[in-house]
Amino acid sequence: MGSGSSYSYSGTSGGSQPYAETYGVVPEALNKDKKDPDIYDKAEGYFKNPTAVSLASAIDGNRVTFNNLSAHGKYTYVMDKNGNIIFGKRCNPNDISKRSPHPTLIGGKNPQVQCAGIIAMSKGKITNIDNMSGHFKPHHRSLNKVYDALHKLHESNPNIFSTRFQWRE
């Protein structure tokens, strides 16, 4: 199941944050972002990624959609404080050559999440999810919250999951 099964985040130097109900952006990432006006505005904080969409609202029949097409590829995601899974592409509206980190899926000065990482989809089906976010560095146990939310989606529409998707026990 991606980095969640290794119990540490290896996308950047250092491991995950200690387990918590919510996570803020780690100081080293926040300090770097504050130096880039195309990612962080002193008055507003992080910009809001224009591609950000709720996973629940992206379900159309037996598939997950993105821009009215079957979702396909790797997307960043966060689980917000209310338990909503929000995903999107790394799209920086200020400069397309620049990155669009996980905090931009929520935006603002102090975005808080329960978990964050990468969600992979193929032909509108969820195939994999992990906790690989260098900005939030959520603890591997935070994935349990995401799996609980995905189980609820599975109960109402099992066809949005690939037959290869393996639930983490």
Side-chain angles (χ1 to χ4, degrees):
M1 286 306 307
S3 69
S5 61
S6 69
Y7 302 114
S8 67
Y9 175 74
S10 60
T12 60
S13 61
S16 65
Q17 295 191 65
Y19 180 74
E21 288 299 312
T22 61
Y23 301 91
V25 177
V26 295
E28 61 268 22
L30 180 60
N31 291 337
K32 179 180 177 183
D33 292 342
K34 284 183 173 181
K35 296 174 186 172
D36 188 338
D38 290 324
I39 292 175
Y40 193 95
D41 177 84
K42 290 179 183 177
E44 302 292 323
Y46 286 97
F47 70 85
K48 174 77 179 209
N49 184 326
T51 71
V53 62
S54 161
L55 179 60
S57 69
I59 297 171
D60 181 14
N62 291 324
R63 67 187 182 136
V64 178
T65 61
F66 189 77
N67 291 332
N68 297 318
L69 300 171
S70 291
H72 193 80
K74 292 183 179 181
Y75 303 84
T76 56
Y77 85 89
V78 296
M79 175 180 263
D80 69 14
K81 294 189 322 184
N82 298 319
N84 301 305
I85 297 173
I86 302 162
F87 73 101
K89 284 288 187 184
R90 292 193 182 268
C91 175
N92 187 321
N94 302 314
D95 183 340
I96 60 171
S97 71
K98 290 193 173 178
R99 60 199 173 87
S100 181
H102 284 94
T104 65
L105 292 170
I106 296 175
K109 284 193 169 195
N110 186 24
Q112 297 287 308
V113 301
Q114 293 186 53
C115 195
I118 304 297
I119 185 168
M121 297 187 225
S122 177
K123 300 178 184 173
K125 311 293 184 199
I126 300 170
T127 61
N128 191 22
I129 197 157
D130 65 32
N131 66 323
M132 292 186 64
S133 168
H135 275 72
F136 292 108
K137 294 188 179 182
H139 193 273
H140 71 91
R141 285 182 28 210
S142 299
L143 272 172
N144 292 334
K145 297 174 188 179
V146 178
Y147 286 120
D148 288 345
L150 292 177
H151 271 291
K152 288 178 184 171
L153 285 175
H154 185 267
E155 288 173 4
S156 61
N157 193 336
N159 296 319
I160 64 168
F161 293 88
S162 165
T163 56
R164 297 181 321 225
F165 190 87
Q166 296 177 9
W167 298 101
R168 183 168 168 251
E169 302 299 329

